[in-house]
Amino acid sequence: MVDQVRSMESRVGRKNQRYGPKGERLVAGVVPLSADKSLVLMIQSSGRGGWVLPKGGWETDEGSAQQAACREAWEEAGVICTVLKDLGIIPDMRPSTLLTATAPKASYQFFEVAVDREEDRWPEMHKRKRQWVNYTQAAAALACRPELLEALNRSSVKR
């Protein structure tokens, strides 16, 4: 298989963003697991500094949410991954008081992925750290992000 050319530039802005039937932003993400499924790879949130799962907008030039999720894994975590399982659609669980013009309601589609390679250089390496953690650590870090915690819980990470 020919390795796809990966850009060292992160996509920014929302002009190519896909939206659902109710105006919700379509977001694709990954739950990256170690080969033995005992660890999950988390990244530092660019905004709040906490630890999150790689995710971002599914754009109009991407044929599938799976493709968008793997692109986000590359841009944010510097990993080349293979989708193992579709974890389904997870609704936005934030209270309406936390929704803003720059953070509108979203619909999340997550995929469990195997990490094939971790690169030393990736598009967002200067603004995000990454770390492998066990389920307990990941669940604690995601406690204030119920949609991300739900994705983790739908995955086959060892608890």
Side-chain angles (χ1 to χ4, degrees):
M1 183 174 102
V2 177
D3 210 10
Q4 139 188 14
V5 176
R6 296 184 200 289
S7 170
M8 282 303 284
E9 293 293 313
S10 285
R11 293 184 180 201
V12 292
R14 299 237 170 114
K15 69 181 188 306
N16 296 321
Q17 173 66 54
R18 286 181 192 250
Y19 292 89
K22 295 182 186 130
E24 71 280 20
R25 183 169 171 250
L26 300 182
V27 174
V30 296
V31 179
L33 300 181
S34 59
D36 68 358
K37 299 188 179 185
S38 66
L39 299 173
V40 61
L41 184 67
M42 297 189 72
I43 58 167
Q44 231 172 0
S45 167
S46 62
R48 304 189 335 233
W51 293 92
V52 296
L53 297 169
K55 59 163 179 32
W58 174 12
E59 300 196 354
T60 52
D61 65 340
E62 294 170 308
S64 67
Q66 208 168 306
Q67 200 180 347
C70 290
R71 175 185 50 79
E72 289 292 340
W74 162 245
E75 289 178 0
E76 296 184 350
V79 296
I80 312 304
C81 59
T82 301
V83 172
L84 301 174
K85 187 163 111 180
D86 183 339
L87 300 174
I89 306 282
I90 300 170
D92 197 328
M93 299 175 193
R94 291 175 296 168
S96 56
T97 53
L98 291 181
L99 301 175
T100 65
T102 54
K105 197 132 193 91
S107 175
Y108 298 88
Q109 183 160 8
F110 272 89
F111 299 90
E112 179 176 313
V113 298
V115 173
D116 302 323
R117 269 195 341 260
E118 277 181 75
E119 297 295 343
D120 294 332
R121 295 175 38 84
W122 70 94
E124 298 186 15
M125 61 187 272
H126 298 296
K127 58 181 177 182
R128 296 182 193 274
K129 290 186 173 83
R130 63 186 177 198
Q131 70 173 353
W132 287 98
V133 298
N134 64 30
Y135 171 81
T136 305
Q137 294 165 310
L142 298 175
C144 60
R145 295 296 302 274
E147 67 286 352
L148 304 186
L149 182 57
E150 177 65 21
L152 177 69
N153 286 332
R154 289 184 186 185
S155 81
S156 50
V157 65
K158 290 180 182 160
R159 288 160 176 79

